[in-house]
Amino acid sequence: MSEGRLAGKVAIVTGGGSGSGIGATCERLARAGATVVAADINEQTAEATATRIRDAGGRALAVQFDLLDSASIAALAETAMAGFGRIDVLHNNAANTSPQVFPKDQGILDMDSEVWDAVFAANARGTMEVTRAVVPRMIAGGRGGAIINTSSGAGQMGQMAMSVYGPSKGAINAFTRYAALQFAPHRIRCNALVLPVVLTRGLESLFTQEQIDDVVSRTPFKEPTRPADVAAVVEFLASDDARLITGKLWEI
Ligand SMILES: NC(=O)c1ccc[n+]([C@@H]2O[C@H](COP(=O)([O-])OP(=O)(O)OC[C@H]3O[C@@H](n4cnc5c(N)ncnc54)[C@H](O)[C@@H]3O)[C@@H](O)[C@H]2O)c1
């Protein structure tokens, strides 16, 4: 695993415990030679990701943190530095996807302000705080860096539900452009993934087969987007092959 286009790079992936979700990126980056920090609120699933990578011959560490807990975010960056000495890649991927919260995120007129705050703070402020903790370490490393933010089509359009999830992802899109501009002098790039419905195991269990068929029928190739398709784009954006690409929203 020391060969590959990410050899020598250290990558933090938040939401890295979701091995059957977009956290599958962890294993893809490891296969490309990166050392991976799988960061998640769920310590067990993060540890499982790191163990799978190590069992396959890669280098990985699991860190428990919470997007809503600033001290844990600072500790995440410190633990990555203590373990591996540098940070080159940050995939800001964790979000409040809680099955307890999602059903409460409906129309604006029914919005509970506590639900708004919980989702917006985790998704938007959390992304900012992880970035704020990591970028000084990237700068200190002197080799630039790559930030990839997981956004959503819900941040680009109006919908009848997901009235805080969507705006929180819209905020991430805007944040991506601000970060790209502010960090360019340090050769740190920042891009966002504007994802469609991605057929993770979590979504497969929530959707009926009819709903999945409907989503798939509206795609150009009549094929579902899967976590592996997202991970391939993350690997590219994390690599030096994308060295001139920054401030872009990637509609996958
Ligand atoms: N699956 C889709 O269709 C889809 C579409 C568009 C965007 N997305 C985005 O992709 C990302 C990953 O989603 P997924 O589908 O893999 O979902 P998922 O629920 O499988 O993964 C989310 C991960 O984030 C972690 N997490 C949740 N709250 C956290 C917190 N407060 N602090 C730290 N970690 C926390 C969870 O434990 C989980 O491992 C999210 O940003 C989501 O909004 C997903």
Side-chain angles (χ1 to χ4, degrees), residues 5-244:
R5 65 174 166 177
L6 300 183
K9 293 190 193 293
V10 176
I12 296 178
V13 180
T14 70
S18 180
S20 62
I22 291 152
T25 302
C26 289
E27 283 161 275
R28 172 89 192 205
L29 298 186
R31 283 199 299 278
T35 296
V36 172
V37 177
D40 206 289
I41 196 167
N42 187 327
E43 192 171 9
Q44 283 178 331
T45 57
E47 194 50 62
T49 298
T51 301
R52 281 196 302 277
I53 291 172
R54 288 194 295 264
D55 287 351
R59 286 215 308 166
L61 186 69
V63 178
Q64 196 270 339
F65 88 108
D66 182 352
L67 284 167
L68 294 175
D69 176 356
S70 307
S72 77
I73 290 172
L76 164 61
E78 274 159 31
T79 307
M81 290 301 289
F84 303 124
R86 56 183 303 109
I87 305 170
D88 303 280
V89 175
L90 169 61
H91 183 190
N92 275 317
N93 172 65
N96 186 330
T97 53
S98 160
Q100 280 77 48
V101 174
F102 242 73
K104 296 183 188 157
D105 183 10
Q106 298 293 329
I108 294 166
L109 298 184
D110 297 321
M111 180 62 66
D112 177 333
S113 294
E114 281 181 19
V115 170
W116 176 280
D117 285 348
V119 174
F120 210 91
N123 298 4
R125 193 187 75 203
T127 294
M128 179 281 291
E129 287 201 5
V130 177
T131 304
R132 190 179 63 189
V134 164
V135 165
R137 272 84 175 191
M138 287 180 170
I139 294 171
R143 296 199 323 225
I147 302 166
I148 301 106
N149 297 327
T150 303
S151 185
S152 165
Q156 303 274 74
M157 60 181 139
Q159 300 193 114
M160 298 308 286
M162 301 209 284
S163 305
V164 56
Y165 176 81
S168 76
K169 293 296 187 178
I172 287 174
N173 294 347
F175 178 75
T176 298
R177 296 192 180 100
Y178 277 74
L181 184 75
Q182 292 178 24
F183 304 147
H186 304 288
R187 263 236 74 117
I188 295 169
R189 299 177 291 102
C190 186
N191 293 284
L193 309 172
V194 179
L195 299 183
V197 172
V198 181
L199 218 48
T200 60
R201 207 169 297 152
L203 270 194
E204 261 173 316
S205 63
L206 280 179
F207 280 26
T208 63
Q209 191 57 47
E210 201 180 9
Q211 286 170 317
I212 292 172
D213 291 345
D214 179 52
V215 167
V216 171
S217 73
R218 285 183 277 116
T219 64
F221 300 112
K222 313 297 174 216
E223 270 188 49
T225 304
R226 296 191 182 277
D229 301 308
V230 179
V233 180
V234 177
E235 180 192 320
F236 166 66
L237 289 172
S239 79
D240 295 341
D241 291 337
R243 66 187 195 89
L244 297 180

